[in-house]
Amino acid sequence: MTTVQFNPLAAEMAVDPYPAYATLREHGPVYEVPGLGIYILSRHDEVAAFYRDRRLFMRYSDRETLRYGPEVVDEPFYRYFQQMAHVADPPWHTELRKMFAAAFTPNRIGALRAHIKDIATLLIEDTRDAGGMEFISSFAEPFPRIVIGEMMGVPPDDNEMIGEWALELGPAFEFLPMSPEWKDAVNDRVVRLMDYFVELAGRRVTEPGDDLYSAMVRSGEESGGRISRETVAANAVLLYIGGHETTSGALGLSLLALHRHPDQLERLYADPALIPTATEELLRWDVPTQGTGRIAGEDVVYGDTTIPAGGLILAYIGSANHDASVYEQPDRLDLGRRPSARALAFGPGAHQCVGHALSRLEVEEIGRAH
């Protein structure tokens, strides 16, 4: 059996984690990080099971207390983040998903396709006379921000400011604890965002529009007091970040992959009909959110390993998407690859990214807009 020394906090994991993933998959279904009580899942079958396992829980309060101590409950970021759907456990999570379902309908997303392409085309044309662009700052950042801002009914004059604040919340979503300086900055930004969206919710009650946030506010108002206006605002912040930062990361990684594989880039230029399958392949190849964690609510068995109740399990989508048991030649980028029904790019199960359809659509439309 392969000898493994895996550190999920190692610097190289942020640069190129795929060699480490390959070693983990070769090692076995489960790897226990010595001395930390952390269990790693890297193979496709175990990662897929993880996302559907109802014995595993977010337990945000427990996790943040471990990271920052019991005084974390006094931090503004904790107050607001604990109300967000991505860290909620049933039955509260189920209630919040209903609010998103009422707003994030497939018809609403599909109707946006032409407009999303128009936004992408306009951003590209704005830089064409200059002979090119710096992709991240000129396209990958503003494109999804403009889209999610319009979808949520954020006034255009406010959108850039809201986007900057939202991006600065990034450290609160990362695995490592925040430094005191970052924590102060995150607290400041989250208070600004919450003040903004609570005030906007008040306006949407009296002046509703045909936008996502109006639908979320309406769902909260009709919840019989179960979903407060503050909770609606907190999940608007989550949706804004998910529709902005995650898609921006996917766009940047997709362009990087294409330029590292010029044969595939030329193939796509020659055959635009490949765009739908190319989108799925690029999302398989590299994902902005590599994985996530859960806490075992009881003893659970994965492979031949019993993970005790209270154990922290990390499951890596990025590794599962390169598992040879599911994908032939998984370390070869193939834009004509037939999409797998077992794809895990956005994490299946109850906590699947609510904006997965929008992210796919945006990655597709950039290809059509070039």
Side-chain angles (χ1 to χ4, degrees), residues 252-330:
L253 290 171
S254 295
L255 186 67
L256 179 63
L258 288 172
H259 280 274
R260 285 177 171 174
H261 299 81
D263 61 318
Q264 294 298 303
L265 180 58
E266 289 300 319
R267 183 182 181 189
L268 189 58
Y269 274 126
D271 186 6
L274 285 174
I275 287 174
T277 59
T279 297
E280 296 302 316
E281 174 68 350
L282 290 165
L283 292 172
R284 179 198 72 85
W285 180 257
D286 205 359
V287 288
T289 302
Q290 288 286 316
T292 191
R294 303 276 196 278
I295 292 177
E298 59 186 77
D299 290 357
V300 296
V301 177
Y302 278 78
D304 56 359
T305 301
T306 298
I307 300 174
L312 175 60
I313 307 173
L314 300 181
Y316 286 100
I317 295 175
S319 178
N321 284 344
H322 285 254
D323 190 331
S325 71
V326 176
Y327 299 99
E328 184 179 352
Q329 294 184 283

Side-chain angles (χ1 to χ4, degrees), residues 51 93 97 294 343 345-356 360:
Y51 276 99
H93 177 263
R97 291 291 294 202
R294 303 276 196 278
F346 291 95
H351 282 85
Q352 184 179 49
C353 172
V354 294
H356 67 94
R360 279 190 170 93

Side-chain angles (χ1 to χ4, degrees), residues 7-257:
N7 178 6
L9 307 182
E12 58 266 25
M13 289 295 292
V15 178
D16 182 10
Y18 293 97
Y21 293 158
T23 302
L24 285 172
R25 291 194 302 272
E26 186 178 350
H27 167 79
V30 181
Y31 173 74
E32 181 180 358
V33 181
L36 294 183
I38 298 175
Y39 299 83
I40 308 293
L41 306 180
S42 57
R43 294 180 178 177
H44 184 280
D45 287 351
E46 283 72 34
V47 172
F50 163 94
Y51 276 99
R52 294 184 171 90
D53 196 333
R54 296 181 180 273
R55 301 168 298 173
L56 308 182
F57 300 92
M58 290 293 190
R59 291 190 177 167
Y60 179 74
S61 179
D62 293 347
R63 289 162 59 183
E64 295 305 283
T65 299
L66 286 172
R67 278 153 53 97
Y68 300 108
E71 61 273 13
V72 72
V73 298
D74 298 321
E75 301 283 356
F77 84 85
Y78 175 88
R79 170 181 172 178
Y80 299 126
F81 272 56
Q82 70 170 336
Q83 301 181 61
M84 295 180 180
H86 76 297
V87 297
D89 288 311
W92 180 230
H93 177 263
T94 306
E95 191 77 31
L96 293 176
R97 291 291 294 202
K98 290 179 183 177
M99 175 181 64
F100 280 116
F104 230 100
T105 63
N107 287 341
R108 187 188 296 272
I109 300 301
L112 283 168
R113 181 179 290 274
H115 185 50
I116 287 173
K117 183 178 179 180
D118 288 342
I119 293 171
T121 300
L122 183 61
L123 286 170
I124 292 171
E125 289 178 348
D126 282 346
T127 62
R128 189 162 284 163
D129 291 342
M133 69 167 71
E134 197 291 308
F135 183 73
I136 299 300
S137 61
S138 297
F139 190 92
E141 187 281 320
F143 173 49
R145 169 171 51 80
I146 293 169
V147 172
I148 193 64
E150 289 191 7
M151 288 185 68
M152 294 184 67
V154 174
D157 290 345
D158 297 343
N159 202 19
E160 186 171 354
M161 173 187 70
I162 296 300
E164 290 177 359
W165 292 346
L167 287 178
E168 289 169 352
L169 295 186
F173 291 90
E174 294 174 1
F175 185 75
L176 288 173
M178 293 182 283
S179 68
E181 294 76 17
W182 269 118
K183 189 163 59 175
D184 289 344
V186 164
N187 280 332
D188 175 77
R189 302 307 187 269
V190 77
V191 168
R192 294 188 194 192
L193 284 163
M194 286 298 299
D195 287 346
Y196 181 89
F197 278 107
V198 167
E199 191 276 332
L200 185 60
R203 281 189 275 152
R204 290 293 179 265
V205 170
T206 57
E207 302 174 10
D210 184 24
D211 57 76
L212 279 175
Y213 196 42
S214 291
M216 291 172 65
V217 170
R218 182 166 56 251
S219 181
E221 295 295 310
E222 295 173 353
S223 71
R226 295 188 301 276
I227 300 177
S228 69
R229 193 168 294 178
E230 181 175 282
T231 297
V232 173
N235 282 280
V237 173
L238 172 65
L239 182 57
Y240 193 96
I241 293 170
H244 178 197
E245 185 177 30
T246 303
T247 304
S248 178
L251 291 171
L253 290 171
S254 295
L255 186 67
L256 179 63

